[in-house]
Amino acid sequence: MLRSILLKASVQYANLTNPTRQVVAYPKQLLHQSYNLKRAFATHSPEKNTPETEGEDNSQEEFGNELKYNMNLGMYPDKNISSLTINGKSYLDLPIVHIKSSSNNTIISVTEVKGKVIAIDSGGSVGFRNVKKGTNIAAQAAALSVSQKILERGIKIVRVNMKGIGPGRNPALKGLQMAGIQVVSVTDSTPIPFNGNRPRKPRRL
Amino acid sequence: MSRNHVRMIAKTVFVKNNNVDAAANVLDGILRKDKILDNIRRNRYYEKPYLKRQRLSFERCKRIYNTDMQKKIAFVMRKNREDPWPR
C-alpha cells in the first residue's frame, strides 16, 4: 500500500519537474533500492531540444576545439619550434598571455610577439581592493575580463607565460580556459637571479 | 635582456587535448625537480651564511638518515612474507 503511494508520488513529482521527459512506473519490488530510484527519474526517450537548452551553443564545444598542428608534438619544444604551425599560423607568432602573480596581486596582460600590449587587467582593475587583490578569485575575475576583451578582437589561440609564484597563478589559467580561450603552451619565466641583488632582511613578526 | 632571442623555449610545456591542468602540473613537476620554486621561496628574504651552513648540514643528515631507513624498511619487508612452513 505504502509502496504504491510512494511510487505514484515519485512518478508525479518527476513529471512535474521535467514534463518533457517520460518516466516509467517502476515495479514495486525494486522501489527501495536506491539505484533503481535513479532510473525511475531517468529519461527513456532521446532528449530533444527543449526551449531551455536551445539557447546554448553546444556545437562549438564538440567541433570547434580541434587545433591543427603541422607536426607531431612532444611534451616540450625542440629545435623545430620555428617550423611549428597551429591552424596555419606559426607558433612563434601567437599572442602571449603574461600572468604575473605576486603575493599581493595578479596582473594579466595579452601582448603580441614583439611585446605590444593588446589587453591588460589586474586584480585591482576588476574591482578588488588591497588584500583581496591577491586572492584566487580576483585572479580568475581578471582572467575572465581579459579573455572577453580578447575574444572581441578575435583572438582565440594563445600561449601563456607565467611569472612569479602567488595565489593567482593557477586560477588565472583556469579563468582563461573557462572563458573559452585555447591555450597552446604554458611557460614559466619567474626571474631567477644567479645570486644577484641581495634580498631584504627576514621579517621578525 | 635580449628581446631578439627566441623566448619561451625553456620551461615550456605543450598543452595536449586542451588539458591545460595537466600541462600546468607537468610544469610544476619540472620546477619542483629543478628546485626552482624552493630557491625562489628561499630568496624572498636574505639567508645569512651561518643559517645557510646550518640548513645544508641539516639536509645532509636528513638525507643520510632517510636513505638508511629506506634500506632498512626494504630489508625488513623482505622478511615479511608468508610463513614458509605452514602446518
Side-chain angles (χ1 to χ4, degrees), chain A residues 97-121:
Chain A
V97 173
H98 291 97
I99 300 176
K100 180 180 174 183
S101 61
S102 70
S103 48
N104 294 323
N105 200 354
T106 26
I107 306 178
I108 302 165
S109 64
V110 183
T111 73
E112 290 169 10
V113 186
K114 298 245 170 172
K116 183 182 167 192
V117 175
I118 304 171
I120 182 166
D121 258 319

PDB file of all heavy atoms in Angstrom, chain A residues 97-121:
ATOM      1  N   VAL A  97      49.950  35.507 -23.457  1.00  0.00           N
ATOM      2  CA  VAL A  97      49.278  35.993 -22.255  1.00  0.00           C
ATOM      3  C   VAL A  97      50.282  35.925 -21.121  1.00  0.00           C
ATOM      4  O   VAL A  97      50.764  34.856 -20.761  1.00  0.00           O
ATOM      5  CB  VAL A  97      48.047  35.124 -21.905  1.00  0.00           C
ATOM      6  CG1 VAL A  97      47.475  35.540 -20.574  1.00  0.00           C
ATOM      7  CG2 VAL A  97      47.016  35.232 -22.980  1.00  0.00           C
ATOM      8  N   HIS A  98      50.605  37.070 -20.576  1.00  0.00           N
ATOM      9  CA  HIS A  98      51.532  37.111 -19.451  1.00  0.00           C
ATOM     10  C   HIS A  98      50.737  37.137 -18.163  1.00  0.00           C
ATOM     11  O   HIS A  98      49.906  38.016 -17.954  1.00  0.00           O
ATOM     12  CB  HIS A  98      52.400  38.373 -19.524  1.00  0.00           C
ATOM     13  CG  HIS A  98      53.357  38.365 -20.649  1.00  0.00           C
ATOM     14  ND1 HIS A  98      53.109  38.987 -21.843  1.00  0.00           N
ATOM     15  CD2 HIS A  98      54.571  37.800 -20.780  1.00  0.00           C
ATOM     16  CE1 HIS A  98      54.141  38.814 -22.650  1.00  0.00           C
ATOM     17  NE2 HIS A  98      55.041  38.089 -22.021  1.00  0.00           N
ATOM     18  N   ILE A  99      51.005  36.179 -17.293  1.00  0.00           N
ATOM     19  CA  ILE A  99      50.339  36.150 -15.995  1.00  0.00           C
ATOM     20  C   ILE A  99      51.405  36.402 -14.946  1.00  0.00           C
ATOM     21  O   ILE A  99      52.268  35.564 -14.700  1.00  0.00           O
ATOM     22  CB  ILE A  99      49.681  34.787 -15.730  1.00  0.00           C
ATOM     23  CG1 ILE A  99      48.654  34.489 -16.803  1.00  0.00           C
ATOM     24  CG2 ILE A  99      49.030  34.765 -14.371  1.00  0.00           C
ATOM     25  CD1 ILE A  99      48.032  33.127 -16.654  1.00  0.00           C
ATOM     26  N   LYS A 100      51.343  37.577 -14.359  1.00  0.00           N
ATOM     27  CA  LYS A 100      52.321  37.887 -13.322  1.00  0.00           C
ATOM     28  C   LYS A 100      51.620  37.787 -11.983  1.00  0.00           C
ATOM     29  O   LYS A 100      50.761  38.599 -11.668  1.00  0.00           O
ATOM     30  CB  LYS A 100      52.884  39.286 -13.528  1.00  0.00           C
ATOM     31  CG  LYS A 100      53.897  39.609 -12.467  1.00  0.00           C
ATOM     32  CD  LYS A 100      54.496  40.971 -12.597  1.00  0.00           C
ATOM     33  CE  LYS A 100      55.374  41.169 -11.369  1.00  0.00           C
ATOM     34  NZ  LYS A 100      55.963  42.459 -11.308  1.00  0.00           N
ATOM     35  N   SER A 101      51.972  36.794 -11.193  1.00  0.00           N
ATOM     36  CA  SER A 101      51.268  36.592  -9.931  1.00  0.00           C
ATOM     37  C   SER A 101      52.232  36.812  -8.785  1.00  0.00           C
ATOM     38  O   SER A 101      53.110  36.015  -8.532  1.00  0.00           O
ATOM     39  CB  SER A 101      50.689  35.190  -9.870  1.00  0.00           C
ATOM     40  OG  SER A 101      51.700  34.236  -9.957  1.00  0.00           O
ATOM     41  N   SER A 102      52.042  37.917  -8.102  1.00  0.00           N
ATOM     42  CA  SER A 102      52.817  38.173  -6.899  1.00  0.00           C
ATOM     43  C   SER A 102      51.927  37.831  -5.700  1.00  0.00           C
ATOM     44  O   SER A 102      50.784  37.424  -5.846  1.00  0.00           O
ATOM     45  CB  SER A 102      53.262  39.627  -6.847  1.00  0.00           C
ATOM     46  OG  SER A 102      52.152  40.449  -6.626  1.00  0.00           O
ATOM     47  N   SER A 103      52.485  38.034  -4.517  1.00  0.00           N
ATOM     48  CA  SER A 103      51.717  37.631  -3.340  1.00  0.00           C
ATOM     49  C   SER A 103      50.551  38.564  -3.082  1.00  0.00           C
ATOM     50  O   SER A 103      49.612  38.219  -2.374  1.00  0.00           O
ATOM     51  CB  SER A 103      52.627  37.580  -2.118  1.00  0.00           C
ATOM     52  OG  SER A 103      53.400  38.756  -2.045  1.00  0.00           O
ATOM     53  N   ASN A 104      50.618  39.794  -3.668  1.00  0.00           N
ATOM     54  CA  ASN A 104      49.571  40.768  -3.369  1.00  0.00           C
ATOM     55  C   ASN A 104      48.641  41.078  -4.518  1.00  0.00           C
ATOM     56  O   ASN A 104      47.704  41.838  -4.353  1.00  0.00           O
ATOM     57  CB  ASN A 104      50.213  42.092  -2.935  1.00  0.00           C
ATOM     58  CG  ASN A 104      50.935  41.943  -1.622  1.00  0.00           C
ATOM     59  OD1 ASN A 104      50.478  41.228  -0.749  1.00  0.00           O
ATOM     60  ND2 ASN A 104      52.068  42.608  -1.499  1.00  0.00           N
ATOM     61  N   ASN A 105      48.912  40.511  -5.683  1.00  0.00           N
ATOM     62  CA  ASN A 105      48.112  40.887  -6.842  1.00  0.00           C
ATOM     63  C   ASN A 105      48.458  39.972  -7.998  1.00  0.00           C
ATOM     64  O   ASN A 105      49.503  39.340  -8.017  1.00  0.00           O
ATOM     65  CB  ASN A 105      48.429  42.345  -7.244  1.00  0.00           C
ATOM     66  CG  ASN A 105      47.318  42.950  -8.086  1.00  0.00           C
ATOM     67  OD1 ASN A 105      46.374  42.271  -8.468  1.00  0.00           O
ATOM     68  ND2 ASN A 105      47.436  44.241  -8.377  1.00  0.00           N
ATOM     69  N   THR A 106      47.550  39.901  -8.968  1.00  0.00           N
ATOM     70  CA  THR A 106      47.902  39.233 -10.231  1.00  0.00           C
ATOM     71  C   THR A 106      47.584  40.175 -11.370  1.00  0.00           C
ATOM     72  O   THR A 106      46.519  40.789 -11.403  1.00  0.00           O
ATOM     73  CB  THR A 106      47.097  37.950 -10.489  1.00  0.00           C
ATOM     74  OG1 THR A 106      45.872  38.043  -9.818  1.00  0.00           O
ATOM     75  CG2 THR A 106      47.823  36.730 -10.072  1.00  0.00           C
ATOM     76  N   ILE A 107      48.512  40.285 -12.304  1.00  0.00           N
ATOM     77  CA  ILE A 107      48.319  41.134 -13.478  1.00  0.00           C
ATOM     78  C   ILE A 107      48.356  40.239 -14.700  1.00  0.00           C
ATOM     79  O   ILE A 107      49.284  39.457 -14.878  1.00  0.00           O
ATOM     80  CB  ILE A 107      49.439  42.180 -13.590  1.00  0.00           C
ATOM     81  CG1 ILE A 107      49.545  42.961 -12.288  1.00  0.00           C
ATOM     82  CG2 ILE A 107      49.181  43.099 -14.752  1.00  0.00           C
ATOM     83  CD1 ILE A 107      50.634  43.968 -12.313  1.00  0.00           C
ATOM     84  N   ILE A 108      47.319  40.345 -15.515  1.00  0.00           N
ATOM     85  CA  ILE A 108      47.248  39.512 -16.714  1.00  0.00           C
ATOM     86  C   ILE A 108      47.236  40.436 -17.912  1.00  0.00           C
ATOM     87  O   ILE A 108      46.348  41.267 -18.054  1.00  0.00           O
ATOM     88  CB  ILE A 108      45.987  38.651 -16.695  1.00  0.00           C
ATOM     89  CG1 ILE A 108      46.011  37.796 -15.431  1.00  0.00           C
ATOM     90  CG2 ILE A 108      45.922  37.765 -17.917  1.00  0.00           C
ATOM     91  CD1 ILE A 108      44.714  37.179 -15.117  1.00  0.00           C
ATOM     92  N   SER A 109      48.208  40.298 -18.786  1.00  0.00           N
ATOM     93  CA  SER A 109      48.270  41.152 -19.966  1.00  0.00           C
ATOM     94  C   SER A 109      48.497  40.287 -21.186  1.00  0.00           C
ATOM     95  O   SER A 109      49.229  39.308 -21.135  1.00  0.00           O
ATOM     96  CB  SER A 109      49.390  42.173 -19.835  1.00  0.00           C
ATOM     97  OG  SER A 109      50.625  41.531 -19.776  1.00  0.00           O
ATOM     98  N   VAL A 110      47.842  40.660 -22.262  1.00  0.00           N
ATOM     99  CA  VAL A 110      47.978  39.929 -23.511  1.00  0.00           C
ATOM    100  C   VAL A 110      48.752  40.803 -24.479  1.00  0.00           C
ATOM    101  O   VAL A 110      48.386  41.956 -24.698  1.00  0.00           O
ATOM    102  CB  VAL A 110      46.609  39.581 -24.107  1.00  0.00           C
ATOM    103  CG1 VAL A 110      46.778  38.752 -25.353  1.00  0.00           C
ATOM    104  CG2 VAL A 110      45.777  38.862 -23.088  1.00  0.00           C
ATOM    105  N   THR A 111      49.811  40.256 -25.020  1.00  0.00           N
ATOM    106  CA  THR A 111      50.644  41.043 -25.918  1.00  0.00           C
ATOM    107  C   THR A 111      50.860  40.297 -27.215  1.00  0.00           C
ATOM    108  O   THR A 111      50.632  39.099 -27.311  1.00  0.00           O
ATOM    109  CB  THR A 111      52.020  41.308 -25.307  1.00  0.00           C
ATOM    110  OG1 THR A 111      52.762  40.094 -25.335  1.00  0.00           O
ATOM    111  CG2 THR A 111      51.920  41.799 -23.898  1.00  0.00           C
ATOM    112  N   GLU A 112      51.284  41.070 -28.212  1.00  0.00           N
ATOM    113  CA  GLU A 112      51.734  40.447 -29.446  1.00  0.00           C
ATOM    114  C   GLU A 112      53.151  39.936 -29.239  1.00  0.00           C
ATOM    115  O   GLU A 112      53.715  40.075 -28.148  1.00  0.00           O
ATOM    116  CB  GLU A 112      51.703  41.449 -30.589  1.00  0.00           C
ATOM    117  CG  GLU A 112      50.317  41.829 -31.011  1.00  0.00           C
ATOM    118  CD  GLU A 112      50.326  43.011 -31.942  1.00  0.00           C
ATOM    119  OE1 GLU A 112      51.417  43.395 -32.389  1.00  0.00           O
ATOM    120  OE2 GLU A 112      49.245  43.552 -32.215  1.00  0.00           O
ATOM    121  N   VAL A 113      53.696  39.369 -30.305  1.00  0.00           N
ATOM    122  CA  VAL A 113      55.008  38.735 -30.168  1.00  0.00           C
ATOM    123  C   VAL A 113      56.077  39.719 -29.739  1.00  0.00           C
ATOM    124  O   VAL A 113      56.894  39.453 -28.868  1.00  0.00           O
ATOM    125  CB  VAL A 113      55.437  38.102 -31.499  1.00  0.00           C
ATOM    126  CG1 VAL A 113      56.702  37.323 -31.314  1.00  0.00           C
ATOM    127  CG2 VAL A 113      54.343  37.213 -32.014  1.00  0.00           C
ATOM    128  N   LYS A 114      56.051  40.902 -30.351  1.00  0.00           N
ATOM    129  CA  LYS A 114      57.121  41.854 -30.075  1.00  0.00           C
ATOM    130  C   LYS A 114      56.957  42.532 -28.728  1.00  0.00           C
ATOM    131  O   LYS A 114      57.870  43.196 -28.254  1.00  0.00           O
ATOM    132  CB  LYS A 114      57.154  42.916 -31.179  1.00  0.00           C
ATOM    133  CG  LYS A 114      57.434  42.358 -32.536  1.00  0.00           C
ATOM    134  CD  LYS A 114      58.745  42.866 -33.070  1.00  0.00           C
ATOM    135  CE  LYS A 114      59.134  42.098 -34.321  1.00  0.00           C
ATOM    136  NZ  LYS A 114      60.296  42.652 -34.984  1.00  0.00           N
ATOM    137  N   GLY A 115      55.760  42.409 -28.118  1.00  0.00           N
ATOM    138  CA  GLY A 115      55.587  42.992 -26.802  1.00  0.00           C
ATOM    139  C   GLY A 115      54.519  44.049 -26.706  1.00  0.00           C
ATOM    140  O   GLY A 115      54.244  44.555 -25.617  1.00  0.00           O
ATOM    141  N   LYS A 116      53.881  44.373 -27.802  1.00  0.00           N
ATOM    142  CA  LYS A 116      52.863  45.422 -27.770  1.00  0.00           C
ATOM    143  C   LYS A 116      51.610  44.881 -27.092  1.00  0.00           C
ATOM    144  O   LYS A 116      51.095  43.824 -27.454  1.00  0.00           O
ATOM    145  CB  LYS A 116      52.539  45.856 -29.196  1.00  0.00           C
ATOM    146  CG  LYS A 116      51.551  46.984 -29.280  1.00  0.00           C
ATOM    147  CD  LYS A 116      51.272  47.298 -30.733  1.00  0.00           C
ATOM    148  CE  LYS A 116      50.045  48.202 -30.805  1.00  0.00           C
ATOM    149  NZ  LYS A 116      49.545  48.338 -32.154  1.00  0.00           N
ATOM    150  N   VAL A 117      51.125  45.609 -26.094  1.00  0.00           N
ATOM    151  CA  VAL A 117      50.029  45.115 -25.260  1.00  0.00           C
ATOM    152  C   VAL A 117      48.699  45.274 -25.985  1.00  0.00           C
ATOM    153  O   VAL A 117      48.375  46.329 -26.503  1.00  0.00           O
ATOM    154  CB  VAL A 117      50.000  45.873 -23.925  1.00  0.00           C
ATOM    155  CG1 VAL A 117      48.803  45.439 -23.111  1.00  0.00           C
ATOM    156  CG2 VAL A 117      51.265  45.606 -23.150  1.00  0.00           C
ATOM    157  N   ILE A 118      47.924  44.185 -25.965  1.00  0.00           N
ATOM    158  CA  ILE A 118      46.593  44.232 -26.567  1.00  0.00           C
ATOM    159  C   ILE A 118      45.536  44.489 -25.510  1.00  0.00           C
ATOM    160  O   ILE A 118      44.608  45.268 -25.709  1.00  0.00           O
ATOM    161  CB  ILE A 118      46.277  42.902 -27.278  1.00  0.00           C
ATOM    162  CG1 ILE A 118      47.362  42.591 -28.295  1.00  0.00           C
ATOM    163  CG2 ILE A 118      44.928  42.929 -27.927  1.00  0.00           C
ATOM    164  CD1 ILE A 118      47.255  41.225 -28.884  1.00  0.00           C
ATOM    165  N   ALA A 119      45.656  43.818 -24.388  1.00  0.00           N
ATOM    166  CA  ALA A 119      44.670  43.992 -23.325  1.00  0.00           C
ATOM    167  C   ALA A 119      45.355  43.714 -22.007  1.00  0.00           C
ATOM    168  O   ALA A 119      46.264  42.887 -21.931  1.00  0.00           O
ATOM    169  CB  ALA A 119      43.486  43.040 -23.509  1.00  0.00           C
ATOM    170  N   ILE A 120      44.918  44.366 -20.969  1.00  0.00           N
ATOM    171  CA  ILE A 120      45.551  44.173 -19.666  1.00  0.00           C
ATOM    172  C   ILE A 120      44.518  44.329 -18.571  1.00  0.00           C
ATOM    173  O   ILE A 120      43.643  45.189 -18.635  1.00  0.00           O
ATOM    174  CB  ILE A 120      46.730  45.152 -19.481  1.00  0.00           C
ATOM    175  CG1 ILE A 120      47.415  44.919 -18.144  1.00  0.00           C
ATOM    176  CG2 ILE A 120      46.271  46.588 -19.585  1.00  0.00           C
ATOM    177  CD1 ILE A 120      48.745  45.589 -18.047  1.00  0.00           C
ATOM    178  N   ASP A 121      44.609  43.467 -17.595  1.00  0.00           N
ATOM    179  CA  ASP A 121      43.711  43.536 -16.451  1.00  0.00           C
ATOM    180  C   ASP A 121      44.422  42.977 -15.233  1.00  0.00           C
ATOM    181  O   ASP A 121      45.313  42.140 -15.346  1.00  0.00           O
ATOM    182  CB  ASP A 121      42.432  42.724 -16.687  1.00  0.00           C
ATOM    183  CG  ASP A 121      41.268  43.620 -17.043  1.00  0.00           C
ATOM    184  OD1 ASP A 121      41.152  44.685 -16.404  1.00  0.00           O
ATOM    185  OD2 ASP A 121      40.506  43.267 -17.945  1.00  0.00           O
TER     186      ASP A 121
END
